[in-house]
Every structure is written in C-alpha cells, then in structure tokens.
Amino acid sequence: IILNKINIFSLNFYIKKRKIVIVLSFIIGAIFTPSDVLSQFLVAIPILILYEIGIIIIKLIKTKKNC
C-alpha cells in the first residue's frame, strides 16, 4: 500500500505479479515449516490473504481519489 502511495508500484503491477506471489508464498511455507503439507498451507494462506487485502485497499483508495 505504501509503495503504491509513493508511486513506486501500481495496482496493475500487483495484479500482474499475483501468480509469482502465490508460488513464492508456498516456497516460503516450504522453507519455514517441516515437511508437512498442512503446515505449508498454514503459512502460505495468510501471506496470500494479506496480499489480496492489500490489492483491495489499493482499489478502494483509487476509487476514492477518482470520486
């Protein structure tokens, strides 16, 4: 959100890089958890949720600026 506010990354950038973030979140989950698939999901899912919430907040800020 901050990087969007200071015009470093745009909303389109975040949307285009969504697939990479999904893969990276599961890689992070694999690195920081034991070899249990459930643990990997329990680490990756909150990362993805926070990323999506960030995109939604950026969209809301953009629509408020346009009004």
Side-chain angles (χ1 to χ4, degrees), residues 9 13 15 19 22 25-26 29 38 48 50 63-64:
F9 296 122
F13 176 82
I15 292 172
K19 292 178 184 178
I22 292 170
S25 67
F26 281 98
L38 179 63
L48 294 173
L50 289 172
T63 55
K64 285 184 181 181

Side-chain angles (χ1 to χ4, degrees), residues 36-54:
D36 179 21
V37 177
L38 179 63
S39 298
Q40 291 177 354
F41 274 99
L42 291 176
V43 171
I45 297 301
I47 295 171
L48 294 173
I49 290 171
L50 289 172
Y51 187 79
E52 293 298 326
I53 289 172

